[in-house]
């Protein structure tokens, strides 16, 4: 419901002018040029009209009171429309009164506000659309524009009809959804681009992490191998040492018993010179045995030492053989660089021969350099292999010597036995006693041999302990403490020593692979995890975007369906009304709106593009088909001025009937009507005023007679429009 129109500085309404609309139909009357149409345009202006043409101006400045020789110009034009919102025709605004205001300034800027709060034009448009006050202006029929709807392009006509049917709100929603969809699709593209960007990075990091994991596995294998090996070796070393020591103490015990007993026998024979000689021979032989035995012990230690050295040399040669790298010092590298640059320094136009010579020298320099670093490796390998060879030879010699000493020992023992036999033969000693001494001597010799063997064994065990400790130190650097989280076995496995040695060789092989596999690289893992997380985030984002795009598409489809359904229904209703109004006006005949056949001509489009009216594209436009009573006229063009006015009035009224706008402004729509038609027009006005508030600008008495309120507009010498309330009887006079 319209309540008031307030103008200030707008066109000829220089001073603040208020029009109250407390009646269903209000007529504005006045002489030509007094400013009546300006009042109608004030509505357009406040409702957000963007086309200057439809407000009869070129620039927005034309809308501001220009001044006259008696009064100065205004700086701003402002128009406010006050609506009664008690019945919430603007459902979104919880106020009983809604004021929409627009002001324009001399610099061309516009300002909009709703209830005094500044807003955007779009907010005004949406607000109006929600109350079925559209922007195509079908509810404001300007002077001489009554047949605008007849002249309009079919597509423009469709837009006007959609607007009149209140479908603009769907169109707004659709545009909004389309804008969002476009934005979403843009986002999808961006996210996809990001994903494409990080994909190779993830692949690269993934490979690195894979390598790290392989290295971890190898380290784990090595750790297990170490644990297995250590748990056995530790027990082995302890058990072996204990056993050997126990044996050793038993041997010493037995040896001292035998020696003590033998000493008794010898004591007995010392007082006998003949016997002394024989005993001397025995003692000599005994010394010989001792000497050879100790020599053999020494030899055993020597053998142990050489065995150890041989072992180490073998290991070293293995290491040398597997190392693919060569250390080259920076000095050597820069020397090579300097040499090559000096060799290749040539005058600018050097001859072929000189070039060739330079190339030869460069090649030579490189070859010499490589030989320096390639050859030493082989030499070193050869050196280590040589060492192995030497130790092996040495060991062979020592073993041979040991065999000889063994033979020598056998021999000296034989000599001792014989010397003792001589002693016994000459002595009148009992057979038994002699046997006893022989046996004693024999066992003493055996124990001595055992002692030497046990000593060598202890020495060997000490060496094995040393290499065990070395192995542990290495395990600490390669695997760390986890290598030592094992419990030594309580009982040694039933296996040959060779098996444990195989384990150690397995460990050596694993060490090489671990070294080749490389270091820990925690940061690569974190980076990889971050990248994978990011990828997951993006793909989730993409899913969300796809979902919302699908939602928007289906929303757009729904709106389209809603739109075309409501449009079809609305068209049907408008047509019924149109036909009725038409035959009422013409006393017969028929008229209807028909959908244009779609033969879209592309070139035709541009012509209407700049028009402020948003035209629905890709939908059939609307044609008007009329059949006058008793005449064979089909084309609108062939109608007379009055007939055109009647047809368009019928159509405008039909549209207003189906979906009544809150108000309708008719600026001299009745200008071309004769008396009979004026009466019919007046009837329809009365009828229409039941549903929409009417504001009619007219010179027609019949029309004036149907209005509840009459305003007279006059313009004095100052060029300013003035407003006065008049009675019907005065109206005709004011209008002149
Ligand atoms: P008719 O009955 O002939 O249609 P009308 O009452 O509708 O006349 P309008 O066309 O509304 O008259 O008023 C036109 C008058 O308004 C002209 O006298 C014009 O000079 C004046 N006018 C238009 N724009 C301005 C302006 N910016 N400043 C001052 N006066 C203006």
């Amino acid at each position: 419901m319209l309540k008031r129109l307030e103008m200030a500085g707008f066109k000829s309404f220089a001073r603040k002018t208020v029009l109250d609309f407390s009646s269903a139909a209000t007529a504005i009357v006045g002489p030509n040029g007094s400013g009546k149409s300006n009042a109608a345009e004030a509505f357009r202006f406040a409702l957000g009209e963007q086309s200057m043409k439809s407000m009869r101006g070129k620039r927005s400045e034309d809308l501001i009171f220009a001044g006259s020789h008696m009064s100065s110009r205004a700086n701003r034009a402002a128009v406010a429309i006050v609506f009664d919102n008690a019945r919430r025709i603007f459902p979104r605004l919880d106020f009983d009164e809604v004021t929409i205001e627009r002001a324009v300034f001399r610099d061309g800027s516009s300002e909009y506000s709703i209830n005094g709060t500044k807003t955007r034009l779009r907010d005004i448009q949406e607000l109006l659309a929600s109350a079925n006050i559209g922007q195509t202006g079908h509810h404001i029929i300007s002077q001489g524009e009554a047949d605008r709807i007849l002249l309009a392009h079919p597509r423009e006509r469709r837009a006007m009809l959609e607007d009149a049917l209140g479908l603009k709100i769907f169109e707004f929603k659709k545009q909004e959804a389309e804008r969002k969809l476009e934005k979403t699709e843009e986002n999808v593209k961006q996210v996809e681009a990001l994903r494409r960007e990080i994909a190779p990075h993830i692949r690269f990091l993934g490979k690195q992490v894979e390598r790290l994991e392989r290295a971890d596995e190898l380290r784990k294998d090595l750790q297990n191998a170490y644990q297995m090996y250590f748990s056995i070796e530790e027990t082995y070393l302890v058990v072996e040492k204990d056993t050997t020591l126990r044996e050793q103490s038993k041997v010493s015990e037995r040896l001292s018993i035998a020696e003590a007993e033998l000493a008794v026998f010898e004591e007995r024979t010392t007082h006998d010179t003949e016997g002394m000689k024989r005993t001397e021979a025995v003692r000599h032989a005994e010394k010989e045995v001792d000497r050879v035995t100790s020599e053999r012990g020494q030899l055993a230690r020597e053998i142990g030492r050489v065995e150890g050295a041989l072992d180490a040399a073998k290991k070293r040669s293995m290491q040398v053989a597997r190392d693919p790298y060569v250390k080259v010092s920076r000095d050597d590298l820069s020397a090579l660089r300097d040499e090559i640059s000096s060799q290749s320094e040539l005058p600018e136009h050097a001859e072929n021969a000189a070039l060739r010579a330079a190339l030869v020298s460069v090649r030579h320099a490189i070859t010499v350099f490589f030989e320096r670093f390639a050859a030493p490796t082989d030499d070193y390998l050869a050196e280590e292999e040589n060492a192995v060879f030497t130790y092996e030879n040495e060991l062979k010699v020592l073993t041979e010597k040991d065999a000889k000493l063994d033979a020598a020992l056998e021999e000296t023992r034989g000599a001792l036995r014989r010397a003792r036999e001589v002693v016994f033969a000459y002595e009148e000693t009992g057979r038994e006693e002699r046997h006893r001494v022989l046996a004693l001597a024999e066992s003493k010799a055996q124990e001595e041999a055992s002692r030497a063997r046990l000593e060598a064994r202890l020495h060997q065990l000490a060496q094995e302990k040393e290499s065990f400790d070395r192995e542990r130190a290495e395990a600490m650097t390669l695997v760390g403490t986890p290598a030592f989280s094992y419990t030594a076995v309580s009982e040694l496995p039933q296996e040959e020593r060779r098996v444990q040695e195989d384990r150690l060789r397995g460990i050596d092989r694993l060490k090489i692979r671990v070294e080749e596999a490389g270091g820990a690289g925690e940061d690569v893992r974190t980076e990889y995890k971050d990248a994978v997380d990011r990828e997951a985030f993006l793909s989730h984002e993409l899913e969300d975007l796809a979902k919302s795009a699908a939602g928007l598409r289906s929303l757009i489809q729904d709106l389209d369906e809603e739109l075309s359904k409501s449009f079809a229904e609305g068209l049907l209703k408008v047509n019924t009304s149109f036909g009725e109004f038409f035959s009422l006006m013409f006393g017969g005949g028929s008229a209807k709106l028909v959908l244009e056949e779609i033969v879209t001509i592309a070139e035709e489009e541009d012509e209407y593009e700049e028009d402020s009216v948003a035209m629905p594209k890709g939908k059939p436009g609307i044609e008007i088909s009329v059949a006058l009573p008793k005449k064979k006229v089909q084309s609108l063009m062939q109608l007379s001025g009055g007939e055109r006015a009647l047809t368009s009035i019928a159509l405008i009224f039909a549209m207003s009937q189906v979906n009544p706008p809150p108000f309708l402004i008719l600026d001299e729509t009745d200008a071309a009507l004769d008396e009979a038609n004026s009466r019919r027009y007046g009837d329809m006005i009365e009828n229409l005023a039941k549903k929409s508030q009417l504001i009619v600008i007219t010179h027609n008495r019949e029309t004036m007679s149907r209005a509840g309120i009459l305003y007279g507009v006059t313009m004095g010498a100052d060029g300013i429009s003035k407003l006065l309330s008049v009675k019907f009887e005065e109206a005709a006079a004011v209008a002149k």
Side-chain angles (χ1 to χ4, degrees), residues 255 281-282 284-294 296-297 404-421 437-453:
L255 198 57
V282 169
H284 177 73
E286 274 176 349
K287 272 201 188 118
E288 267 306 292
V289 169
D290 282 352
R291 188 185 58 77
V292 175
T293 306
S294 102
R296 235 194 129 198
K404 271 187 204 142
L405 274 180
D406 195 35
L409 190 62
E410 234 4 83
E411 212 171 284
T412 45
R413 278 197 197 128
L416 180 62
R417 207 164 36 240
R418 279 192 300 280
R420 285 187 176 133
E421 271 165 10
V437 172
L438 274 176
L440 274 174
E442 183 66 21
S443 84
K444 187 189 167 207
Q446 265 172 16
E447 298 303 345
E448 274 166 352
S450 293
R451 189 170 60 184
R453 180 178 55 80

Side-chain angles (χ1 to χ4, degrees), residues 677-693:
N677 280 330
S678 291
R679 223 170 303 118
R680 285 186 190 131
Y681 178 84
D683 290 346
M684 285 196 291
I685 291 262
E686 255 179 61
N687 209 19
L688 214 58
K690 286 176 191 152
K691 288 183 177 159
S692 298
Q693 230 174 328

